[in-house]
């Protein structure tokens, strides 16, 4: 069930790709909907973000129980340190993204939906149904800044991470990428 150096467990592989592809999708949708004021996409972005948060928590518990996948051989110190640093940024980012999103929308009064369910209700001004009243404007503002900043940080981290995976595959010709798609090394 646990990862070995030769083979990663199905759970590690499934969680990696489920979280990875969802995060990439949410970053793309997030930037698109914000730039184009595509408000119909907001509830979908928020709902998928809330859902993936629960998967991210399972992944972290699994990482704690299982440990990190072992490198396939001794790499240069800089290479190993950079890969580890990027893995930490990615893991922390997967927690901080949905958390900051929920705090921003919740405290901002915009509400947190989960596909039709209202986890946190909108706070509408009783005198003007068009007007959203923040529960806490300062906290919502800080969470918004963090959510936007994370977009930049995570895009850089994902580019470095994918470049590393391709370097293993193309330049080093090792099994690192194959191992992450379930093949035995
Ligand atoms: C892993 C989960 C998530 C990712 C990767 C993600 C990513 C992003 C990105 C990249 C943006 C564009 C930021 C920019 O302007 O540059 C964005 C916008 C936004 N996100 Fe998320 N998000 C996630 C979860 C959530 C959650 C759970 C919520 C709320 C419950 C949320 C609410 C929003 C809102 C309201 C905006 C638009 C902000 C604006 O109009 O200024 N996000 N998201
Ligand atoms: C399509 C792009 C991606 C590719 C090709 C890819 C590839 C890989 C590979 C080959 C490994 C194994 C490294 C090793 O054995 O040491 C790995 C590990 C990892 N990847 Fe990705 N990855 C991608 C996207 C992402 C994204 C978007 C995230 C985070 C949001 C992510 C987070 C991680 C983490 C945290 C690890 C460490 C092992 C684990 O926790 O499962 N990856 N990735």
């Amino acid at each position: 069930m646990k990862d070995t150096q030769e083979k990663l467990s199905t759970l590690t592989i499934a969680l990696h790709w489920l979280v990875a592809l969802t995060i990439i999708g949410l970053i793309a949708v997030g930037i698109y909907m914000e730039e184009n004021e595509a408000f119909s996409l907001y509830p979908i972005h928020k709902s998928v973000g809330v859902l993936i948060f629960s998967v991210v928590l399972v992944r972290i518990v699994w990482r704690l129980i299982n440990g990190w996948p072992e490198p396939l051989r001794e790499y240069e110190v800089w290479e190993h340190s950079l890969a580890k640093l990027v893995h930490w940024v990615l893991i922390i980012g997967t927690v901080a993204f949905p958390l900051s999103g929920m705090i921003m929308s919740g405290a901002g009064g915009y509400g947190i939906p989960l596909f039709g369910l209202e986890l946190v209700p909108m706070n509408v001004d009783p005198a003007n149904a068009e007007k959203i009243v923040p529960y806490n404007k300062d906290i919502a503002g800080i969470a918004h800044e963090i959510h936007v900043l994370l977009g930049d940080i995570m895009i850089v981290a994902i580019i470095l991470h994918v470049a590393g995976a391709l370097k293993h595959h193309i330049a080093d010709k090792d099994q690192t990428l194959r191992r992450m798609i379930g093949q035995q090394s």
Side-chain angles (χ1 to χ4, degrees):
M1 179 70 181
K2 281 195 173 186
D3 295 344
T4 63
Q5 197 185 26
E6 291 75 37
K7 199 169 187 332
L8 298 180
S9 65
T10 312
L11 191 56
T12 291
I13 294 168
L15 288 173
H16 173 269
W17 290 111
L18 181 59
V19 172
L21 298 178
T22 309
I23 298 275
I24 292 172
L26 283 175
I27 293 177
V29 170
I31 293 173
Y32 175 87
M33 68 184 202
E34 208 263 316
E35 277 182 4
N36 297 287
E37 299 190 354
F39 296 119
S40 60
L41 291 175
Y42 277 54
I44 302 169
H45 177 89
K46 292 183 187 183
S47 301
V48 175
V50 170
L51 262 194
I52 202 66
F53 185 50
S54 51
V55 181
V56 163
L57 295 181
V58 172
R59 179 158 188 238
I60 287 177
V61 172
W62 175 238
R63 220 12 80 258
L64 292 173
I65 298 171
N66 176 85
W68 294 87
E70 269 189 61
L72 286 166
R73 58 177 172 84
E74 292 273 319
Y75 294 103
E76 301 283 339
V77 174
W78 72 264
E79 203 180 344
H80 184 67
S81 312
L82 181 62
K84 275 260 97 136
L85 174 72
V86 171
H87 285 168
W88 275 104
V89 172
L90 292 173
I91 286 273
I92 293 170
T94 54
V95 178
F97 244 138
L99 258 188
S100 56
M102 288 186 280
I103 295 171
M104 145 174 73
S105 296
Y110 291 95
I112 306 179
L114 182 61
F115 299 110
L117 285 178
E118 236 184 10
L119 298 184
V120 173
M122 275 201 216
N123 196 27
V124 182
D125 186 345
N128 176 2
E130 302 275 290
K131 197 170 165 229
I132 301 284
V133 184
Y135 291 108
N136 189 319
K137 206 174 169 193
D138 293 340
I139 290 182
I142 294 169
H144 181 241
E145 276 177 28
I146 294 175
H147 205 73
V148 173
L149 182 66
L150 274 171
D152 297 335
I153 296 174
M154 287 290 275
I155 288 172
V156 173
I158 292 170
I159 290 172
L160 285 174
H161 182 66
V162 174
L166 291 178
K167 176 189 174 288
H168 280 294
H169 193 66
I170 296 166
D172 303 340
K173 296 197 182 352
D174 68 26
Q175 296 290 96
T176 304
L177 181 56
R178 288 184 203 279
R179 192 172 68 161
M180 197 36 111
I181 54 171
Q183 295 182 2
Q184 192 149 358
S185 60

